[in-house]
Amino acid sequence: EIPVLFKRELQNEEAREGKQVKLTCELSKPGTPVKWMKGDTVLYASEKYEFKQRGTVAELIIQDVKSIDS
């Protein structure tokens, strides 16, 4: 089986504290499960983190951004 690769990797994003920020990547194979992490910590869907995936594009939306989210 062909390995899944990033067609478009994450880019640095800037956001104001208290606002939201969207991080997007694109994979080489649609429907591939994505695990979002901050360092060694796996992120789970919550009021803070929202995950979306359409085809090859995966998004992480972080609500109420704080400096600790960088």
Side-chain angles (χ1 to χ4, degrees):
E1 188 171 317
I2 298 171
V4 176
L5 304 172
F6 285 104
K7 290 174 68 177
R8 184 173 41 132
E9 295 193 17
L10 289 175
Q11 301 295 312
N12 288 330
E13 298 287 340
E14 289 189 20
R16 292 181 178 261
E17 282 202 31
K19 300 294 183 182
Q20 77 172 23
V21 66
K22 184 189 308 183
L23 302 174
T24 305
C25 65
E26 186 173 0
L27 307 165
S28 60
K29 184 177 176 183
T32 303
V34 173
K35 183 190 312 182
W36 290 95
M37 301 180 72
K38 180 178 187 262
D40 294 331
T41 304
V42 177
L43 303 178
Y44 295 97
S46 64
E47 288 183 17
K48 177 87 172 167
Y49 304 113
E50 180 182 351
F51 309 118
K52 293 184 179 180
Q53 193 163 356
R54 290 181 303 278
T56 58
V57 177
E59 295 178 338
L60 164 62
I61 301 167
I62 304 173
Q63 304 292 339
D64 191 23
V65 173
K66 305 285 185 215
S67 59
I68 197 167
D69 295 317
S70 62

